[in-house]
Amino acid sequence: MGALCSVIRFENLQELRRLCHWGPIIALGVIAICSTMAMIDAVMWYWPLDTTGGSVNFIMLINWTVMILYNYFNAMFIGPGYVPLGWKPEKSQDCMYVQYCKVCQSYKAPRSHHCRKCNRCVMKMDHHCPWINNCCGYQNHASFTLFLLLAPLGCIHASFIFVMTMYTQLYNRISFGWSSVKIDMSAAKRDPLPIIPFGLSAFAASLFALGLALGTTIAVGMLFIIQMKVILRNKTSIESWIEDKAKDRIQYYKTGEIFIFPYDMGSKWKNFKQVFTWSGIPEGDGLEWPVRDGCHQYTLTIEQLKQKADKRVRSVRYRAVEDYSGACCPVTKGVKTFFTTPCTEEPRIALCKGDLILATRGLKHWMYGDKVLDSTTDGTKQLLLVLLQEANPYYSFSRIV
C-alpha cells in the first residue's frame, strides 16, 4: 500500500511539472492578467451590486475564467492517451500493416504517432502543443478545442469591458481647447467617486490588458478555426499532412491509385460527434476506429508504410564536416545560423565530424533525417529527428554524391 501511494505521488508530481514550462507560464499569465484587469475594470464601469445588468456582467466574466481554466487544465493533465506498452494487433498477420516503435517496444496503433517530447506513442495524435506542454490527441482533443473557443470569447468580453471602462472614466476628465486636448488623470469629475481610483497607472494597465486580449482573440481564434476544419473532416493535423503526401506520391509515381481517407464518416455532424460527446468521454477506445465503406482499419497505416519506403528511396546521404553539439540555438555557428533556427522544441541530435546522415526532407536552411550509426550497432539507424544546418557560411555538412 505504501509503495502504491509513493507511485501515485510521483506520477502527480510529474504531471505538476508540466506547469514549469514557458508555454503554460505565458498562457496562464495572459489569462491571469486579462481576467484580473477585467474584474477590476468591471467594478469601476458597471458596479455589480446595484443593477441586474452589472451582476450578470460580472458573473459572466467569472464564468468565462472558470470555463477557460477548466478546459485548459483538462487538456493539460488528462492528456491525449497513450498506446499501451507492448500493444500489437489482435491478428498476428496484421502486424505487417503497422509500424513498430522501438522506443515504446510496441506496434503503433492506427492513427497513433510517437511524440519525442512525451516519449510515448500518442493515440490519435494531432500535435504537441507547447502552450499546454502536452500532446493534443484522443482523450483531450475536445477539451483543447473548447479552450480555443472559450479563450477568444472571454477575451472579446474582457476587451469590451476595457474599452467601456476607459471611455467612461476618461469622458469627464478630458477638456477640449482650441489648440490642445488636456486630460486630468488626478480624480474623476463626477459624483459618486469610483470605488477604485482610475489614475494613469490604471489606464496603462487597462490598455496593456486590452492589447493582450485582442492579440489572444486573433491568434487563438485562428487556431480554433484550423482545429474545427480538421475535426469536421474527422482528421488530425498530422493526417491532413499524410493525405497531402499521399496525393503527391501517387501523382509523382503515376500509380493510378485512388487514396480515400478512411475515417471521414461523410457527415460533418457524425465527424463532430467523434470528438465531442455529452459525457465528455470520446467515442471508442483510441485503438480501433469506425471507417467508411471501401476502407479498413489499416488503410491509413498502409499508406504511411508506402510513404516511409518512398522517403528512404528519396533520401540523400550527407557527411558532417564540423562538430555540432545539438544546441537549440547554435550561437557559435554564426549570426545567420542563429536567426534561421526553426521555432520548434523538437530535439536536435549531436553530431561529430565524419558522421553519416540520411536526409529525408528539408527546409530552406535545415534538413530532417536519420543518423547512420557505426558497425558496433549492427548498422541500425537511430530514428530520431535530425536538424542539419546549411545556413552557416562554412557549411556543417557536405553532400556525398
Coordinates of all heavy atoms in Angstrom, one line a residue, residues 168-225:
T168 N -15.7 55.6 -20.2 CA -16.5 56.2 -19.1 C -15.6 56.9 -18.1 O -16.0 58.0 -17.6 CB -17.3 55.2 -18.4 OG1 -16.5 54.1 -17.9 CG2 -18.4 54.6 -19.4
Q169 N -14.4 56.4 -17.8 CA -13.6 57.0 -16.8 C -12.9 58.3 -17.4 O -12.6 59.2 -16.6 CB -12.5 56.1 -16.3 CG -13.0 54.9 -15.5 CD -13.6 55.4 -14.2 OE1 -13.1 56.3 -13.5 NE2 -14.7 54.8 -13.8
L170 N -12.6 58.3 -18.7 CA -12.0 59.5 -19.2 C -12.9 60.5 -19.8 O -12.5 61.6 -20.1 CB -11.1 59.0 -20.4 CG -9.9 58.1 -20.0 CD1 -9.1 57.7 -21.3 CD2 -8.9 58.9 -19.1
Y171 N -14.2 60.2 -19.9 CA -15.2 61.1 -20.5 C -15.2 62.4 -19.9 O -15.2 63.5 -20.5 CB -16.6 60.4 -20.5 CG -17.6 61.3 -21.2 CD1 -17.7 61.3 -22.6 CD2 -18.5 62.0 -20.5 CE1 -18.6 62.0 -23.3 CE2 -19.5 62.8 -21.1 CZ -19.5 62.8 -22.5 OH -20.5 63.5 -23.2
N172 N -15.3 62.4 -18.5 CA -15.4 63.7 -17.8 C -14.0 64.3 -17.4 O -13.9 65.3 -16.7 CB -16.2 63.5 -16.5 CG -17.7 63.3 -16.8 OD1 -18.2 63.9 -17.8 ND2 -18.3 62.4 -16.1
R173 N -13.0 63.6 -17.8 CA -11.6 64.1 -17.5 C -11.0 64.9 -18.6 O -9.9 65.4 -18.5 CB -10.7 62.9 -17.1 CG -11.2 62.1 -15.9 CD -10.4 60.8 -15.9 NE -11.0 59.9 -14.9 CZ -10.5 59.6 -13.7 NH1 -9.4 60.2 -13.3 NH2 -11.1 58.8 -12.9
I174 N -11.6 64.8 -19.8 CA -11.0 65.4 -21.0 C -11.6 66.7 -21.3 O -12.9 66.8 -21.4 CB -11.1 64.5 -22.2 CG1 -10.4 63.1 -21.9 CG2 -10.5 65.1 -23.4 CD1 -10.5 62.1 -23.0
S175 N -10.8 67.8 -21.4 CA -11.4 69.1 -21.8 C -10.8 69.5 -23.1 O -9.5 69.4 -23.3 CB -11.0 70.1 -20.7 OG -9.6 70.2 -20.6
F176 N -11.6 69.9 -24.1 CA -11.1 70.2 -25.4 C -10.9 71.7 -25.5 O -11.9 72.5 -25.4 CB -12.1 69.7 -26.5 CG -12.2 68.2 -26.6 CD1 -13.2 67.6 -25.8 CD2 -11.4 67.5 -27.4 CE1 -13.3 66.2 -25.8 CE2 -11.5 66.1 -27.5 CZ -12.5 65.5 -26.7
G177 N -9.7 72.1 -25.8 CA -9.4 73.5 -26.0 C -9.3 73.8 -27.5 O -9.3 72.9 -28.3
W178 N -9.0 75.1 -27.8 CA -8.9 75.4 -29.3 C -7.6 74.9 -29.9 O -7.5 74.6 -31.0 CB -8.9 77.0 -29.4 CG -10.3 77.5 -29.2 CD1 -10.7 78.2 -28.1 CD2 -11.4 77.5 -30.1 NE1 -12.0 78.5 -28.2 CE2 -12.5 78.1 -29.4 CE3 -11.6 76.9 -31.3 CZ2 -13.8 78.2 -30.0 CZ3 -12.9 77.1 -31.9 CH2 -13.9 77.7 -31.2
S179 N -6.6 74.8 -29.0 CA -5.3 74.4 -29.6 C -4.8 73.0 -29.0 O -3.8 72.5 -29.6 CB -4.2 75.4 -29.2 OG -4.1 75.6 -27.8
S180 N -5.4 72.5 -28.0 CA -4.9 71.3 -27.4 C -6.0 70.5 -26.7 O -7.0 71.1 -26.5 CB -3.7 71.5 -26.5 OG -4.2 72.3 -25.4
V181 N -5.7 69.3 -26.4 CA -6.6 68.4 -25.6 C -5.9 68.2 -24.2 O -4.8 67.7 -24.2 CB -6.8 67.1 -26.3 CG1 -7.7 66.2 -25.4 CG2 -7.5 67.3 -27.6
K182 N -6.6 68.6 -23.2 CA -6.0 68.4 -21.8 C -6.7 67.3 -21.1 O -7.9 67.2 -21.1 CB -6.1 69.7 -21.0 CG -5.4 70.9 -21.7 CD -5.5 72.1 -20.9 CE -4.8 73.3 -21.5 NZ -5.0 74.5 -20.7
I183 N -5.9 66.4 -20.5 CA -6.5 65.2 -19.8 C -6.1 65.3 -18.3 O -4.9 65.4 -18.0 CB -6.0 63.9 -20.3 CG1 -6.4 63.8 -21.8 CG2 -6.6 62.7 -19.6 CD1 -5.9 62.5 -22.5
D184 N -7.1 65.3 -17.4 CA -6.8 65.4 -16.0 C -7.0 63.9 -15.4 O -8.1 63.4 -15.4 CB -7.8 66.3 -15.3 CG -7.6 66.4 -13.8 OD1 -6.5 65.8 -13.3 OD2 -8.5 66.9 -13.1
M185 N -5.9 63.3 -15.0 CA -6.0 61.9 -14.5 C -5.9 61.9 -13.0 O -5.8 60.8 -12.4 CB -4.8 61.1 -15.1 CG -4.7 61.0 -16.6 SD -6.1 60.1 -17.3 CE -5.8 58.5 -16.6
S186 N -6.1 63.0 -12.4 CA -5.9 63.0 -10.9 C -7.2 62.5 -10.2 O -7.1 61.7 -9.3 CB -5.7 64.4 -10.4 OG -6.7 65.3 -10.8
A187 N -8.3 62.8 -10.6 CA -9.6 62.4 -10.0 C -10.7 62.5 -10.9 O -10.7 63.3 -11.9 CB -9.8 63.2 -8.7
A188 N -11.8 61.7 -10.7 CA -12.9 61.7 -11.5 C -13.8 63.0 -11.2 O -14.0 63.4 -10.1 CB -13.8 60.5 -11.3
K189 N -14.3 63.7 -12.3 CA -15.1 64.8 -12.1 C -16.5 64.5 -12.2 O -17.3 64.9 -13.1 CB -14.7 65.9 -13.2 CG -13.3 66.4 -13.1 CD -13.0 67.4 -14.1 CE -11.6 68.0 -14.0 NZ -11.3 68.9 -15.1
R190 N -16.9 63.5 -11.4 CA -18.3 63.1 -11.4 C -18.7 62.6 -10.0 O -17.8 62.4 -9.1 CB -18.6 62.0 -12.4 CG -17.8 60.7 -12.1 CD -18.1 59.7 -13.2 NE -17.3 58.4 -13.0 CZ -17.8 57.4 -12.2 NH1 -18.9 57.5 -11.6 NH2 -17.1 56.3 -12.1
D191 N -20.0 62.4 -9.8 CA -20.5 62.0 -8.5 C -21.4 60.8 -8.7 O -22.3 60.8 -9.5 CB -21.2 63.1 -7.8 CG -21.6 62.8 -6.4 OD1 -20.8 62.2 -5.7 OD2 -22.7 63.2 -6.0
P192 N -21.2 59.7 -8.0 CA -20.2 59.5 -7.0 C -18.8 59.1 -7.5 O -18.7 58.8 -8.7 CB -20.8 58.3 -6.2 CG -21.5 57.5 -7.3 CD -22.0 58.5 -8.2
L193 N -17.8 59.2 -6.6 CA -16.5 58.8 -7.0 C -16.4 57.3 -7.2 O -17.1 56.5 -6.6 CB -15.5 59.2 -5.9 CG -15.3 60.7 -5.7 CD1 -14.4 61.0 -4.4 CD2 -14.7 61.4 -6.9
P194 N -15.5 56.8 -8.1 CA -15.4 55.4 -8.3 C -14.8 54.7 -7.1 O -14.1 55.2 -6.3 CB -14.4 55.3 -9.5 CG -13.6 56.6 -9.4 CD -14.5 57.6 -8.9
I195 N -15.2 53.4 -7.0 CA -14.8 52.6 -5.9 C -13.2 52.5 -5.9 O -12.6 52.5 -4.9 CB -15.4 51.2 -5.9 CG1 -17.0 51.4 -5.8 CG2 -15.0 50.4 -4.7 CD1 -17.5 52.1 -4.6
I196 N -12.7 52.2 -7.1 CA -11.3 52.0 -7.3 C -10.8 53.2 -8.1 O -11.3 53.5 -9.2 CB -10.9 50.7 -8.0 CG1 -11.5 49.5 -7.3 CG2 -9.4 50.6 -8.3 CD1 -11.3 48.2 -8.0
P197 N -9.8 54.0 -7.6 CA -9.3 55.2 -8.3 C -8.8 54.8 -9.7 O -8.1 53.8 -9.8 CB -8.2 55.7 -7.4 CG -8.5 55.1 -6.1 CD -9.1 53.8 -6.3
F198 N -9.1 55.6 -10.7 CA -8.6 55.3 -12.1 C -7.6 56.4 -12.4 O -7.9 57.5 -12.9 CB -9.8 55.4 -13.0 CG -9.4 54.9 -14.4 CD1 -9.4 53.5 -14.7 CD2 -9.1 55.8 -15.4 CE1 -9.1 53.1 -16.0 CE2 -8.8 55.4 -16.7 CZ -8.8 54.0 -17.0
G199 N -6.3 56.1 -12.1 CA -5.3 57.0 -12.4 C -4.5 56.6 -13.7 O -5.0 55.8 -14.5
L200 N -3.4 57.2 -13.9 CA -2.6 56.9 -15.0 C -2.1 55.5 -15.1 O -2.1 54.9 -16.2 CB -1.4 57.9 -15.1 CG -0.5 57.8 -16.3 CD1 -1.3 58.2 -17.6 CD2 0.7 58.7 -16.2
S201 N -1.7 54.9 -13.9 CA -1.3 53.5 -13.9 C -2.4 52.6 -14.2 O -2.2 51.6 -15.0 CB -0.7 53.2 -12.5 OG -1.7 53.4 -11.5
A202 N -3.6 52.9 -13.8 CA -4.8 52.0 -14.1 C -5.1 52.1 -15.6 O -5.5 51.1 -16.2 CB -6.0 52.5 -13.3
F203 N -5.0 53.3 -16.2 CA -5.2 53.5 -17.6 C -4.2 52.7 -18.4 O -4.6 52.0 -19.4 CB -5.1 54.9 -18.0 CG -5.2 55.2 -19.4 CD1 -6.4 55.1 -20.1 CD2 -4.1 55.5 -20.2 CE1 -6.5 55.4 -21.5 CE2 -4.1 55.7 -21.5 CZ -5.4 55.6 -22.2
A204 N -2.9 52.7 -18.0 CA -1.9 52.0 -18.7 C -2.1 50.5 -18.6 O -1.9 49.7 -19.6 CB -0.5 52.4 -18.2
A205 N -2.5 50.0 -17.4 CA -2.7 48.6 -17.2 C -3.9 48.1 -18.0 O -3.9 47.0 -18.6 CB -3.0 48.3 -15.7
S206 N -5.0 48.9 -18.1 CA -6.1 48.5 -18.9 C -5.8 48.5 -20.4 O -6.2 47.6 -21.1 CB -7.3 49.5 -18.6 OG -7.7 49.5 -17.3
L207 N -5.0 49.4 -20.8 CA -4.6 49.5 -22.2 C -3.7 48.3 -22.5 O -3.9 47.7 -23.6 CB -3.8 50.8 -22.5 CG -3.6 51.1 -24.0 CD1 -4.9 51.3 -24.7 CD2 -2.8 52.4 -24.1
F208 N -2.8 47.9 -21.6 CA -2.0 46.7 -21.9 C -2.8 45.5 -21.9 O -2.6 44.6 -22.8 CB -0.9 46.6 -20.7 CG -0.1 45.4 -20.8 CD1 0.9 45.3 -21.8 CD2 -0.2 44.4 -19.9 CE1 1.7 44.2 -21.8 CE2 0.6 43.3 -19.9 CZ 1.5 43.1 -20.9
A209 N -3.7 45.3 -21.0 CA -4.6 44.2 -20.9 C -5.5 44.1 -22.2 O -5.8 43.0 -22.7 CB -5.5 44.2 -19.7
L210 N -5.9 45.2 -22.7 CA -6.7 45.3 -24.0 C -5.8 44.7 -25.1 O -6.4 44.0 -25.9 CB -7.1 46.7 -24.2 CG -7.9 46.9 -25.6 CD1 -9.2 46.1 -25.6 CD2 -8.2 48.4 -25.8
G211 N -4.6 45.1 -25.2 CA -3.7 44.6 -26.2 C -3.5 43.1 -26.1 O -3.6 42.4 -27.2
L212 N -3.3 42.6 -24.9 CA -3.2 41.1 -24.7 C -4.5 40.4 -25.2 O -4.5 39.4 -25.8 CB -2.9 40.8 -23.3 CG -1.5 41.0 -22.8 CD1 -1.4 40.6 -21.3 CD2 -0.5 40.2 -23.6
A213 N -5.7 41.0 -24.8 CA -6.9 40.3 -25.1 C -7.2 40.3 -26.6 O -7.6 39.3 -27.1 CB -8.1 41.1 -24.4
L214 N -6.9 41.4 -27.3 CA -7.1 41.5 -28.7 C -6.2 40.5 -29.4 O -6.6 39.8 -30.4 CB -7.0 42.9 -29.2 CG -8.0 43.9 -28.8 CD1 -7.7 45.3 -29.3 CD2 -9.4 43.4 -29.2
G215 N -4.9 40.5 -29.0 CA -3.9 39.6 -29.6 C -4.3 38.1 -29.4 O -4.2 37.3 -30.3
T216 N -4.8 37.8 -28.2 CA -5.2 36.4 -27.9 C -6.4 36.1 -28.7 O -6.5 34.9 -29.2 CB -5.5 36.3 -26.4 OG1 -4.3 36.6 -25.7 CG2 -5.9 34.9 -26.1
T217 N -7.3 37.0 -28.9 CA -8.6 36.7 -29.7 C -8.2 36.3 -31.1 O -8.7 35.4 -31.7 CB -9.5 38.0 -29.7 OG1 -9.9 38.3 -28.3 CG2 -10.7 37.7 -30.5
I218 N -7.3 37.1 -31.7 CA -6.9 36.8 -33.1 C -6.1 35.5 -33.2 O -6.4 34.6 -34.0 CB -6.1 38.0 -33.7 CG1 -6.9 39.3 -33.7 CG2 -5.6 37.7 -35.1 CD1 -6.2 40.5 -34.1
A219 N -5.1 35.4 -32.4 CA -4.2 34.2 -32.5 C -4.9 32.9 -32.2 O -4.9 31.9 -32.9 CB -3.0 34.4 -31.6
V220 N -5.6 32.9 -31.0 CA -6.2 31.6 -30.6 C -7.5 31.4 -31.4 O -7.8 30.2 -31.7 CB -6.6 31.7 -29.1 CG1 -7.3 30.5 -28.6 CG2 -5.4 32.0 -28.2
G221 N -8.1 32.4 -31.9 CA -9.3 32.2 -32.8 C -8.9 31.6 -34.1 O -9.6 30.7 -34.6
M222 N -7.8 31.9 -34.6 CA -7.3 31.3 -35.9 C -7.0 29.8 -35.6 O -7.3 29.0 -36.4 CB -6.1 32.0 -36.4 CG -6.3 33.4 -36.9 SD -4.8 34.3 -37.4 CE -4.3 33.2 -38.8
L223 N -6.4 29.5 -34.5 CA -6.1 28.1 -34.1 C -7.4 27.3 -34.0 O -7.5 26.1 -34.4 CB -5.3 28.0 -32.8 CG -3.9 28.5 -32.9 CD1 -3.2 28.5 -31.5 CD2 -3.0 27.7 -33.9
F224 N -8.4 27.9 -33.4 CA -9.7 27.3 -33.3 C -10.3 27.0 -34.6 O -10.9 25.8 -34.9 CB -10.7 28.2 -32.5 CG -12.1 27.6 -32.5 CD1 -12.5 26.5 -31.7 CD2 -13.1 28.3 -33.3 CE1 -13.8 26.0 -31.8 CE2 -14.4 27.8 -33.3 CZ -14.7 26.7 -32.5
I225 N -10.2 27.9 -35.6 CA -10.8 27.6 -36.9 C -10.0 26.5 -37.6 O -10.6 25.6 -38.2 CB -10.7 28.9 -37.8 CG1 -11.6 30.0 -37.2 CG2 -11.0 28.6 -39.2 CD1 -11.4 31.4 -37.9

